[in-house]
Protein backbone atom coordinates (compact mmCIF):
# COMPACT_ATOMS: atom_id res chain seq x y z
CA UNK A 1 0.00 0.00 0.00
CA UNK A 2 1.74 3.14 -1.23
CA UNK A 3 -0.96 5.69 -0.49
CA UNK A 4 -1.09 6.66 -4.16
CA UNK A 5 -4.41 6.07 -5.89
CA UNK A 6 -5.19 6.44 -9.57
CA UNK A 7 -8.42 6.58 -11.54
CA UNK A 8 -9.79 5.22 -13.72
CA UNK A 9 -8.06 1.84 -13.67
CA UNK A 10 -9.02 1.02 -17.25
CA UNK A 11 -10.44 3.04 -20.09
CA UNK A 12 -10.92 2.81 -23.84
CA UNK A 13 -10.80 5.80 -26.16
CA UNK A 14 -10.71 6.31 -29.90
CA UNK A 15 -8.09 8.11 -31.94
CA UNK A 16 -8.38 11.89 -31.76
CA UNK A 17 -10.17 11.94 -28.43
CA UNK A 18 -8.89 13.49 -25.24
CA UNK A 19 -8.35 11.78 -21.88
CA UNK A 20 -7.80 12.90 -18.29
CA UNK A 21 -6.20 10.57 -15.77
CA UNK A 22 -6.20 11.35 -12.06
CA UNK A 23 -3.89 10.67 -9.18
CA UNK A 24 -4.06 11.27 -5.46
CA UNK A 25 -0.80 11.03 -3.56
CA UNK A 26 0.29 10.99 0.05
CA UNK A 27 0.18 14.02 2.27
CA UNK A 28 3.63 15.62 2.38
CA UNK A 29 4.68 14.20 -0.98
CA UNK A 30 4.90 17.47 -2.82
CA UNK A 31 6.50 16.10 -5.97
CA UNK A 32 4.50 13.98 -8.39
CA UNK A 33 5.71 12.35 -11.57
CA UNK A 34 3.87 10.62 -14.39
CA UNK A 35 5.27 7.69 -16.34
CA UNK A 36 4.09 5.83 -19.43
CA UNK A 37 4.71 2.10 -19.60
CA UNK A 38 4.15 0.53 -22.99
CA UNK A 39 3.86 -3.23 -23.31
CA UNK A 40 7.20 -4.95 -22.76
CA UNK A 41 8.95 -1.73 -21.81
CA UNK A 42 10.00 -0.02 -18.62
CA UNK A 43 8.22 3.09 -17.38
CA UNK A 44 9.17 6.23 -19.31
CA UNK A 45 9.22 9.62 -17.60
CA UNK A 46 6.59 12.02 -18.95
CA UNK A 47 6.86 14.96 -16.58
CA UNK A 48 7.08 16.03 -12.98
CA UNK A 49 5.31 18.63 -10.86
CA UNK A 50 6.53 20.33 -7.73
CA UNK A 51 4.32 22.74 -5.83
CA UNK A 52 1.91 22.94 -8.76
CA UNK A 53 4.58 23.83 -11.32
CA UNK A 54 6.03 21.56 -13.99
CA UNK A 55 9.74 21.23 -13.22
CA UNK A 56 10.90 18.45 -15.48
CA UNK A 57 9.75 16.88 -18.72
CA UNK A 58 10.69 13.81 -20.69
CA UNK A 59 10.58 13.30 -24.44
CA UNK A 60 6.83 13.65 -24.85
CA UNK A 61 4.96 16.10 -27.12
CA UNK A 62 3.00 19.08 -25.79
CA UNK A 63 -0.31 17.25 -26.19
CA UNK A 64 0.68 15.54 -22.93
CA UNK A 65 -0.01 18.05 -20.18
CA UNK A 66 -0.63 17.99 -16.48
CA UNK A 67 -1.79 19.76 -13.40
CA UNK A 68 -0.98 19.47 -9.73
CA UNK A 69 -3.35 20.75 -7.06
CA UNK A 70 -2.69 22.00 -3.52
CA UNK A 71 -4.31 18.88 -2.04
CA UNK A 72 -1.56 16.62 -3.53
CA UNK A 73 -3.79 15.39 -6.34
CA UNK A 74 -2.75 15.69 -9.97
CA UNK A 75 -3.97 15.08 -13.50
CA UNK A 76 -2.46 13.89 -16.74
CA UNK A 77 -4.21 15.12 -19.87
CA UNK A 78 -3.57 13.74 -23.32
CA UNK A 79 -5.09 15.44 -26.35
CA UNK A 80 -5.52 14.12 -29.89
CA UNK A 81 -4.99 10.52 -28.83
CA UNK A 82 -2.94 8.28 -31.09
CA UNK A 83 -2.85 4.48 -31.23
CA UNK A 84 0.68 4.50 -29.75
CA UNK A 85 -0.64 6.22 -26.63
CA UNK A 86 -2.08 2.87 -25.56
CA UNK A 87 -0.15 2.06 -22.40
CA UNK A 88 -0.22 1.85 -18.62
CA UNK A 89 0.07 5.32 -17.12
CA UNK A 90 1.68 5.42 -13.71
CA UNK A 91 1.62 8.20 -11.18
CA UNK A 92 4.42 8.35 -8.63
CA UNK A 93 4.92 10.61 -5.67
CA UNK A 94 8.15 11.51 -3.95
CA UNK A 95 8.81 12.83 -0.48
CA UNK A 96 11.16 15.68 -1.22
CA UNK A 97 11.07 17.48 2.11
CA UNK A 98 13.87 16.69 4.53
CA UNK A 99 16.50 14.05 3.78
CA UNK A 100 16.50 12.68 0.23
CA UNK A 101 15.18 9.14 0.12
CA UNK A 102 14.59 9.05 -3.61
CA UNK A 103 11.93 6.39 -3.45
CA UNK A 104 9.09 6.68 -5.92
CA UNK A 105 5.72 5.60 -4.55
CA UNK A 106 3.69 4.31 -7.48
CA UNK A 107 -0.03 3.95 -7.88
CA UNK A 108 -1.49 0.90 -9.59
CA UNK A 109 -1.82 2.70 -12.88
CA UNK A 110 -4.46 3.55 -15.44
CA UNK A 111 -4.50 1.30 -18.48
CA UNK A 112 -5.46 3.28 -21.58
CA UNK A 113 -6.43 1.57 -24.82
CA UNK A 114 -6.76 3.72 -27.92
CA UNK A 115 -8.73 2.19 -30.80
CA UNK B 1 19.58 6.01 -26.55
CA UNK B 2 18.89 3.58 -23.71
CA UNK B 3 20.71 4.97 -20.70
CA UNK B 4 19.68 2.09 -18.43
CA UNK B 5 19.84 -1.43 -19.80
CA UNK B 6 18.69 -4.77 -18.50
CA UNK B 7 20.08 -7.15 -21.07
CA UNK B 8 18.38 -10.30 -19.79
CA UNK B 9 14.65 -10.21 -20.57
CA UNK B 10 14.04 -13.32 -18.49
CA UNK B 11 15.61 -15.53 -15.84
CA UNK B 12 14.55 -18.84 -14.31
CA UNK B 13 15.88 -20.00 -10.95
CA UNK B 14 15.13 -22.93 -8.67
CA UNK B 15 13.49 -22.17 -5.34
CA UNK B 16 16.09 -21.69 -2.62
CA UNK B 17 18.86 -20.73 -5.01
CA UNK B 18 20.27 -17.27 -5.68
CA UNK B 19 18.71 -14.97 -8.29
CA UNK B 20 21.03 -12.36 -9.80
CA UNK B 21 19.53 -9.61 -11.88
CA UNK B 22 21.83 -7.22 -13.72
CA UNK B 23 21.58 -3.64 -14.86
CA UNK B 24 24.00 -1.39 -16.76
CA UNK B 25 23.89 2.37 -17.15
CA UNK B 26 25.75 4.85 -19.30
CA UNK B 27 25.24 8.25 -17.64
CA UNK B 28 27.97 8.98 -15.09
CA UNK B 29 25.74 11.67 -13.53
CA UNK B 30 23.43 9.00 -12.13
CA UNK B 31 23.96 8.78 -8.40
CA UNK B 32 20.86 7.07 -7.08
CA UNK B 33 19.56 3.68 -8.10
CA UNK B 34 16.37 1.80 -7.31
CA UNK B 35 15.01 -1.69 -7.89
CA UNK B 36 11.30 -2.28 -8.34
CA UNK B 37 9.23 -5.43 -8.61
CA UNK B 38 6.06 -5.51 -10.68
CA UNK B 39 3.26 -8.03 -10.73
CA UNK B 40 0.69 -8.01 -13.55
CA UNK B 41 -2.12 -5.48 -13.04
CA UNK B 42 -0.26 -3.76 -10.21
CA UNK B 43 1.97 -0.73 -9.99
CA UNK B 44 5.71 -1.20 -9.40
CA UNK B 45 6.66 -1.89 -5.79
CA UNK B 46 9.87 -0.50 -4.33
CA UNK B 47 12.42 -3.13 -3.25
CA UNK B 48 15.73 -1.55 -2.44
CA UNK B 49 17.88 1.44 -3.30
CA UNK B 50 21.52 2.42 -3.31
CA UNK B 51 23.30 5.73 -3.62
CA UNK B 52 26.62 6.20 -5.35
CA UNK B 53 28.44 6.73 -2.06
CA UNK B 54 27.94 3.02 -1.29
CA UNK B 55 28.81 -0.15 -3.12
CA UNK B 56 26.41 -2.45 -1.31
CA UNK B 57 23.05 -2.25 0.41
CA UNK B 58 21.24 -5.12 2.08
CA UNK B 59 17.64 -5.58 3.15
CA UNK B 60 16.69 -9.05 4.23
CA UNK B 61 16.92 -11.42 1.28
CA UNK B 62 17.71 -8.57 -1.12
CA UNK B 63 21.16 -7.12 -1.71
CA UNK B 64 22.09 -4.54 -4.31
CA UNK B 65 25.69 -4.13 -5.47
CA UNK B 66 26.97 -1.07 -7.30
CA UNK B 67 30.15 -1.00 -9.37
CA UNK B 68 30.59 2.64 -10.36
CA UNK B 69 33.67 2.11 -12.50
CA UNK B 70 31.83 -0.47 -14.59
CA UNK B 71 28.53 1.45 -14.40
CA UNK B 72 26.88 -1.76 -13.33
CA UNK B 73 24.51 -2.77 -10.58
CA UNK B 74 23.05 -6.08 -9.62
CA UNK B 75 20.26 -7.33 -7.39
CA UNK B 76 20.79 -10.57 -5.50
CA UNK B 77 17.85 -12.44 -4.02
CA UNK B 78 18.80 -15.20 -1.58
CA UNK B 79 17.05 -17.55 -1.12
CA UNK B 80 14.67 -17.18 -4.03
CA UNK B 81 11.02 -17.97 -3.38
CA UNK B 82 8.15 -18.66 -5.81
CA UNK B 83 6.50 -15.41 -4.66
CA UNK B 84 9.50 -13.54 -6.06
CA UNK B 85 8.33 -14.38 -9.58
CA UNK B 86 7.66 -11.00 -11.17
CA UNK B 87 9.21 -8.44 -13.51
CA UNK B 88 12.11 -6.53 -11.96
CA UNK B 89 13.07 -3.04 -13.08
CA UNK B 90 16.16 -1.08 -12.22
CA UNK B 91 15.99 2.70 -12.32
CA UNK B 92 18.59 5.44 -12.09
CA UNK B 93 18.52 9.16 -11.48
CA UNK B 94 20.62 12.20 -10.93
CA UNK B 95 19.38 12.96 -7.43
CA UNK B 96 19.04 16.61 -8.27
CA UNK B 97 16.27 15.91 -10.75
CA UNK B 98 14.10 13.11 -9.33
CA UNK B 99 13.67 12.03 -12.95
CA UNK B 100 14.16 8.28 -13.11
CA UNK B 101 15.28 6.33 -16.15
CA UNK B 102 14.05 2.75 -16.07
CA UNK B 103 15.41 -0.34 -17.72
CA UNK B 104 13.17 -2.59 -19.79
CA UNK B 105 12.83 -5.16 -17.02
CA UNK B 106 13.80 -8.77 -16.36
CA UNK B 107 11.09 -11.37 -15.85
CA UNK B 108 12.13 -13.65 -12.99
CA UNK B 109 10.52 -17.04 -12.63
CA UNK B 110 11.29 -19.00 -9.47
CA UNK B 111 10.53 -22.65 -9.93
CA UNK B 112 9.20 -24.66 -6.99
Amino acid sequence: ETGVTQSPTHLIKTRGQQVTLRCSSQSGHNTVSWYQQALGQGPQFIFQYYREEENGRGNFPPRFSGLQFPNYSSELNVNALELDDSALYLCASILTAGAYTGELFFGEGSRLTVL
Amino acid sequence: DQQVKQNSPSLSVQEGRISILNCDYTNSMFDYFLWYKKYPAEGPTFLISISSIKDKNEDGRFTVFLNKSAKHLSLHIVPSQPGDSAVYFCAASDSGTYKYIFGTGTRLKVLA
Side-chain angles (χ1 to χ4, degrees):
Chain A
E1 181 61 50
T2 64
V4 179
T5 56
Q6 293 186 242
S7 64
T9 54
H10 295 81
L11 70 167
I12 299 173
K13 292 284 189 178
T14 56
R15 254 185 338 177
Q17 285 189 310
Q18 179 267 343
V19 68
T20 297
L21 307 177
R22 294 180 174 83
C23 173
S24 174
S25 58
Q26 296 186 45
S27 173
H29 285 217
N30 52 14
T31 297
V32 66
S33 300
W34 284 89
Y35 287 79
Q36 180 197 65
Q37 186 179 12
L39 203 59
Q41 300 296 316
Q44 283 206 321
F45 177 77
I46 302 175
F47 47 54
Q48 178 174 283
Y49 279 79
Y50 173 70
R51 291 187 176 177
E52 303 163 51
E53 298 280 337
E54 182 181 303
N55 75 339
R57 191 174 185 92
N59 191 25
F60 281 82
R63 59 189 186 84
F64 285 77
S65 64
L67 287 170
Q68 185 187 26
F69 303 101
N71 64 353
Y72 305 109
S73 65
S74 65
E75 288 180 356
L76 164 65
N77 298 290
V78 187
N79 293 323
L81 283 167
E82 301 177 0
L83 297 179
D84 284 350
D85 295 334
S86 296
L88 180 68
Y89 288 85
L90 294 161
C91 169
S93 72
I94 308 167
L95 176 62
T96 51
Y100 179 79
T101 65
E103 178 184 342
L104 297 173
F105 294 84
F106 280 100
E108 296 199 349
S110 294
R111 182 160 298 282
L112 171 65
T113 301
V114 182
L115 301 176
Chain B
D1 175 32
Q2 191 72 22
Q3 296 186 66
V4 177
K5 294 182 183 178
Q6 293 177 257
N7 291 317
S8 298
S10 64
L11 174 68
S12 290
V13 171
Q14 284 295 132
E15 182 180 5
R17 306 294 290 267
I18 184 170
S19 295
I20 299 176
L21 296 100
N22 294 303
C23 180
D24 296 294
Y25 62 97
T26 57
N27 189 339
S28 57
M29 295 297 293
F30 289 151
D31 59 0
Y32 203 81
F33 305 89
L34 306 175
W35 281 95
Y36 278 82
K37 176 169 74 173
K38 188 177 185 301
Y39 295 117
E42 293 185 13
T45 303
F46 172 76
L47 277 176
I48 193 166
S49 63
I50 189 166
S51 74
S52 58
I53 62 172
K54 294 185 173 183
D55 53 19
K56 177 182 173 181
N57 190 25
E58 239 175 306
D59 185 1
R61 297 187 297 114
F62 301 92
T63 303
V64 56
F65 296 92
L66 175 62
N67 182 333
K68 289 185 289 292
S69 60
K71 294 191 180 70
H72 176 83
L73 65 156
S74 60
L75 174 68
H76 292 209
I77 306 173
V78 183
S80 301
Q81 299 172 353
D84 296 329
S85 298
V87 178
Y88 289 77
F89 293 98
C90 65
S93 84
D94 169 355
S95 59
T97 69
Y98 304 111
K99 170 186 171 183
Y100 282 90
I101 307 297
F102 281 78
T104 52
T106 297
R107 182 177 299 278
L108 173 66
K109 189 171 184 180
V110 180
L111 306 168

